Amino acid sequence: MIYLLLSILASTLIFICFKLFDKFKVNTLQAIVVNYIVACTCGLLSYQNPIRISEIVSTKWFYGAIALGFLFISIFNVMALTAQKNGLSVASVASKMSVIIPIVFGFFVYNESAGFQKILGIALALVAVYLSSVKSKSTVNFKKNLLLPIILFFGSGIIDTSIKYLETTYVSENGIPIFSATIFCFAAIIGIATLIYKAYNNQFKFDSKSLLGGLILGVINYSSIYYLLKALHFEGSESSTIFTVNNVAIVMSSTLIGLFFFKEYISKKNWIGIVLAIISILLVTLA
């Protein structure tokens, strides 16, 4: 449980970082690229065995890590576009509701338990995520630009499901750091290539603040993935429980932080969502 709590804490700190990026006018794209470089470095430094490129390439999870690196940076960009064109509420709901994909995957592929109490908790969690994320003062139109929210929903779900599958099938516990580092490495390569392309087209202006922002974000980002993998790897843990508690707790804590530290508006629906989130976590963890 301690690994799950640390993953939730790190993921919530990512939310705080992005809020601070906006406040201090940090170039988000540049900070994200630096973040992936730092996260990759953290993984390499955490790996206790000698690092041999040939051994990494020969692992069964290598090509999956390449695909995940591409998904990591691509889905983030889709999230940004969704927030710009459809609104922040749609982006938040689409990404967090995707938790249903790894949960269903766990039921059918790993034959995880699916008692009434657990199913009720998961159902309440989905409602809680929606109510905690939706803003009553904003107009949300799901019929407009449906493609982006759909891509975000499936992309986020595929990322969580793929991480669980690769971790369970091919990654040993002492191989988690190098597995994480490889994912971040390829995300960084794609990000650097994007910046080079922008520079070639005279669309790049270096932002020195992105270095510090990316450094902090990178350590936090690596921690969120590392501890999530450790939680999933823990003997006796079920992915349906881990992903449900993880996503709902992140939405709940982020909402409360937005209220108390960033003075964001919290509607009655949001408060109902927070209460349902607590109930759903209790139902799932005590099932």
Side-chain angles (χ1 to χ4, degrees):
M1 184 59 70
I2 185 65
Y3 293 133
L4 180 58
L5 291 175
L6 289 171
S7 176
I8 293 168
L9 174 62
S11 297
T12 304
L13 288 174
I14 291 175
F15 164 82
I16 296 175
C17 280
F18 282 119
K19 293 290 289 186
L20 293 176
F21 284 177
D22 182 58
K23 181 179 180 179
F24 292 105
K25 307 301 180 184
V26 175
N27 185 294
T28 303
L29 177 60
Q30 292 181 33
I32 288 171
V33 175
V34 174
N35 136 79
Y36 285 132
I37 296 172
V38 172
C40 175
T41 304
C42 288
L44 295 176
L45 293 176
S46 301
Y47 190 52
Q48 298 177 347
N49 297 331
I51 298 173
R52 298 184 178 89
I53 302 298
S54 59
E55 290 184 2
I56 295 173
V57 173
S58 64
T59 57
K60 293 183 178 180
W61 51 255
F62 179 71
Y63 293 106
I66 295 176
L68 277 172
F70 175 78
L71 280 173
F72 266 45
I73 196 165
S74 299
I75 294 304
F76 179 84
N77 287 325
V78 171
M79 186 182 298
L81 288 171
T82 304
Q84 292 166 4
K85 294 187 177 183
N86 298 74
L88 191 59
S89 295
V90 178
S92 177
V93 171
S95 60
K96 295 305 178 184
M97 289 283 282
S98 68
V99 69
I100 194 172
I101 296 176
I103 288 174
V104 172
F105 187 82
F107 285 155
F108 287 100
V109 176
Y110 300 113
N111 296 316
E112 295 182 352
S113 60
F116 173 77
Q117 182 176 324
K118 188 176 223 180
I119 292 175
L120 177 61
I122 291 171
L124 284 178
L126 295 176
V127 176
V129 168
Y130 173 77
L131 291 176
S132 298
S133 303
V134 72
K135 304 299 180 186
S136 60
K137 291 186 176 181
S138 63
T139 302
V140 178
N141 185 1
F142 279 95
K143 293 182 179 180
K144 184 180 179 181
N145 297 321
L146 258 179
L147 182 61
L148 288 174
I150 290 174
I151 293 174
L152 179 57
F153 174 85
F154 284 104
S156 298
I158 289 171
I159 286 175
D160 286 344
T161 304
S162 300
I163 287 176
K164 169 60 181 176
Y165 177 75
L166 291 173
E167 178 274 330
T168 303
T169 311
Y170 301 120
V171 182
S172 61
E173 186 171 2
N174 62 355
I176 289 176
I178 198 66
F179 172 63
S180 304
T182 305
I183 295 173
F184 287 124
C185 174
F186 283 102
I189 290 172
I190 296 168
I192 291 170
T194 302
L195 292 181
I196 292 174
Y197 176 80
K198 283 182 171 290
Y200 179 78
N201 289 281
N202 297 318
Q203 298 175 343
F204 177 83
K205 184 178 180 181
F206 177 69
D207 176 22
S208 59
K209 291 182 290 186
S210 65
L211 291 176
L212 178 59
L215 174 63
I216 296 171
L217 181 62
V219 174
I220 295 171
N221 199 7
Y222 172 76
S223 299
S224 69
I225 296 297
Y226 176 79
Y227 288 120
L228 177 60
L229 286 170
K230 293 285 283 186
L232 288 169
H233 203 279
F234 189 77
E235 187 176 353
S237 65
E238 295 190 343
S239 63
S240 56
T241 300
I242 296 296
F243 283 122
T244 300
V245 175
N246 187 64
N247 278 31
V248 174
I250 290 169
V251 171
M252 183 176 65
S253 58
S254 298
T255 302
L256 292 174
I257 288 172
L259 170 65
F260 293 111
F261 292 96
F262 297 102
K263 308 303 179 184
E264 293 184 347
Y265 174 77
I266 305 295
S267 67
K268 290 182 180 179
K269 285 184 180 180
N270 298 149
W271 282 117
I272 293 172
I274 292 172
V275 173
L276 287 179
I278 296 172
I279 295 173
S280 70
I281 290 175
L282 291 174
L283 287 173
V284 171
T285 53
L286 297 178

